Amino acid sequence: MPGTELFGKEEKKEINDVLETGILFRYNHDAQRNDIWKAREFENEVKKLLGAKYAHAVSSGSTAVACALASAGIGAGDEVIVPPFTFIASVEAVLFAGALPVFAEIDETLCLSAKGIKAAITPKTKAVLLVHMCGGMGQMDEILAVCKEHNLTLVEDAGQAFAASYKGTSVGLMGKSGCYSFDFFKIATCGEGGVMVTNDEQVYKNADCYSDHGHSHVGNNRGMEPHPILGYNYRIGELSAAIGLAQARKVPYILEKNREHKKILMDELSKVHGISFSKLPDPAGDSATFLNMFLPDTESAKRVVDEFNKAGVAGFNYWFLNMYHFINQWDHIKNLNVAAKLPIHILGAPQDYKNLQLPKSQEVVGRLISFGIRCTWTPDEVKALAKKIGACVEKAMAVHA
Ligand SMILES: *Cc1c(COP(=O)(O)O)cnc(C)c1O
């Protein structure tokens, strides 16, 4: 959670600018706001950082996924290929858009694979919601080729991969629309917030209206603005945007530190028997928010987790058992438990969610353990952690050597 570690005077200054005027709303009130437009500035900073033509800040990463889907034209009855390993918001966004999630296999990149996508395509498939997991990126050349061949819309949930890139292009900008989260656990935070990006003017205009009750944001009489489409309130407030702005400016520094720390960990741990790492299709584009290590199999990964717990090693995630990141624990999706009926209840699920066969994903996530990289670590702290991790893995591996 690097952004969280760096909350300081820069964030306070940006918040103060807003407090001086009291204009907490991102639109209008031109006369009172003393030219303070934090949401706009935040968006401009993101555009500059990522090389995006358009960026639109909203209230969360989850609403950014909703915006990315709706703006790209994904809606009721559309089959959308999704991964079984993601923060659950990706799948929720598809369901609440009225669309139908189709689960496909991931691979050692921790993202949907081209092969997995291909196997899940049906005549009703409209889109792929590619999730760039754990700071890295998918195998984009192959995935783009499958999308092109089958005329599928690519939407990217880069909630965990802000500032990651593939061959020089930021993830989130490889398809029709993309999105990032700025919640408290991401590389940069604004408390609660998210950003949708696109290089397509119409998609941007859709998002701009969709996230604010259809407002076209033309002219300066809010009540008299045209409303080309229906929308809802997914707006970000100026205070959150102010923090997002200060944090986005820190991302280049965070990237540098994350990468430094991850390199030390990988150099040390690659010498340890039993450890390998997730595949990075473009290592230079890694946002390095996580060290993603593989053990030989699920059983040895579980033994390593036990050793970590015994030794008091903290800061890791064993996603295989996590309630919010892996399909095995998503009983509410398998049973379609909801507060109120969704289109999927009427249209029918495109797969038997209770009996999905995703052996590759089970195998990959079963042997994955991820450590969150901190940007404020000292080199000595990183080396000490590597030693502890290595010792625990050696112990766990020795059991069955
Ligand atoms: C964090 C995250 C989200 C949701 O973001 P929030 O800001 O918490 O709503 C969506 N997708 C992925 C992949 C995420 O990691």
Side-chain angles (χ1 to χ4, degrees):
M1 313 194 298
T4 310
E5 298 167 62
L6 298 181
F7 192 91
K9 60 180 192 307
E10 299 80 7
E11 285 75 8
K12 289 177 193 161
K13 189 250 163 210
E14 299 302 327
I15 296 169
N16 241 337
D17 287 350
V18 178
L19 295 178
E20 290 296 327
T21 69
I23 305 301
L24 309 179
F25 192 61
R26 68 162 299 177
Y27 299 112
N28 310 104
H29 305 279
D30 296 38
Q32 299 101 306
R33 69 189 311 143
N34 198 21
D35 219 21
I36 302 292
W37 301 91
K38 296 301 175 188
R40 279 191 202 170
E41 264 193 276
F42 177 31
E43 289 161 353
N44 287 336
E45 192 65 30
V46 169
K47 281 194 272 187
K48 198 173 74 186
L49 212 57
L50 305 186
K53 259 194 185 153
Y54 304 97
H56 185 58
V58 289
S59 54
S60 71
S62 303
T63 56
V65 190
C67 271
L69 288 169
S71 311
I74 314 302
D78 293 332
E79 283 187 8
V80 181
I81 294 175
V82 298
F85 176 49
T86 177
F87 179 58
I88 197 161
S90 323
V91 186
E92 290 168 334
V94 172
L95 285 167
F96 288 113
L100 311 173
V102 173
F103 292 95
E105 293 272 38
I106 63 162
D107 65 9
E108 284 79 3
T109 61
L110 313 181
C111 306
L112 284 170
S113 64
K115 195 174 148 202
I117 292 168
K118 223 170 178 162
I121 293 171
T122 78
K124 286 191 193 161
T125 310
K126 172 87 178 260
V128 174
L129 181 58
L130 179 68
V131 185
H132 299 284
M133 280 303 277
C134 301
M137 74 294 294
Q139 195 72 260
M140 294 314 301
D141 286 342
E142 297 169 20
I143 290 169
L144 287 168
V146 178
C147 290
K148 195 168 173 210
E149 187 189 339
H150 296 271
N151 198 22
L152 307 178
T153 303
L154 178 66
V155 176
E156 295 167 272
D157 180 351
Q160 308 190 355
F162 184 73
S165 60
Y166 177 78
K167 296 184 182 174
T169 302
S170 296
V171 301
L173 285 165
M174 321 255 344
K176 193 139 191 161
S177 57
C179 54
Y180 315 97
S181 165
F182 281 72
D183 79 17
F184 200 62
F185 308 97
K186 301 305 204 285
I187 189 166
T189 183
C190 58
E192 300 287 358
V195 177
M196 193 212 98
V197 290
T198 180
N199 286 326
D200 182 317
E201 187 182 7
Q202 188 55 50
V203 171
Y204 166 70
K205 281 185 174 168
N206 290 347
D208 188 42
C209 299
Y210 180 76
S211 60
D212 186 20
H213 306 291
H215 275 273
S216 60
H217 306 122
V218 173
N220 49 24
N221 183 349
R222 187 160 163 86
M224 294 308 289
E225 280 174 23
H227 37 58
I229 57 171
L230 277 167
Y232 204 53
N233 177 7
Y234 291 159
R235 292 186 306 261
I236 193 167
E238 283 287 277
L239 286 172
S240 301
I243 302 169
L245 169 62
Q247 288 264 304
R249 288 180 179 143
K250 295 180 179 179
V251 166
Y253 170 80
I254 292 171
L255 276 180
E256 190 187 311
K257 286 289 151 192
N258 278 5
R259 287 168 176 168
E260 248 175 65
H261 296 163
K262 185 165 173 175
K263 185 176 182 314
I264 298 173
L265 289 174
M266 285 180 72
D267 285 350
E268 290 298 318
L269 293 174
S270 56
K271 300 172 201 156
V272 177
H273 168 69
I275 296 182
S276 60
F277 303 103
S278 71
K279 203 182 287 164
L280 282 162
D282 181 1
D286 184 15
S287 68
T289 47
F290 284 100
L291 170 82
N292 300 300
M293 56 182 218
F294 287 130
L295 283 304
D297 51 43
T298 303
E299 290 317 307
S300 49
K302 284 181 174 168
R303 288 202 305 275
V304 169
V305 169
D306 286 343
E307 292 299 335
F308 285 159
N309 288 333
K310 272 192 250 167
V313 174
F316 67 90
N317 293 284
Y318 185 50
W319 307 111
F320 190 66
L321 299 176
N322 184 297
M323 295 292 280
Y324 293 88
H325 288 79
F326 192 52
I327 197 165
N328 289 7
Q329 281 72 245
W330 294 346
D331 297 329
H332 51 347
I333 285 188
K334 292 180 191 168
N335 297 310
L336 292 176
N337 293 338
V338 288
K341 205 156 55 178
L342 293 173
I344 196 168
H345 291 97
I346 296 166
L347 298 169
Q351 287 172 310
D352 179 1
Y353 293 151
K354 284 182 196 159
N355 293 298
L356 288 171
Q357 298 300 317
L358 298 163
K360 179 72 184 175
S361 306
Q362 295 288 342
E363 176 255 307
V364 166
V365 181
R367 60 200 188 89
L368 171 68
I369 301 176
S370 303
F371 274 85
I373 309 272
R374 294 180 69 88
C375 64
T376 50
W377 275 333
T378 64
D380 284 346
E381 282 173 321
V382 186
K383 280 177 202 145
L385 177 64
K387 251 204 176 95
K388 272 198 208 164
I389 295 173
C392 287
V393 171
E394 272 163 7
K395 229 173 167 180
M397 294 303 296
V399 177
H400 288 246

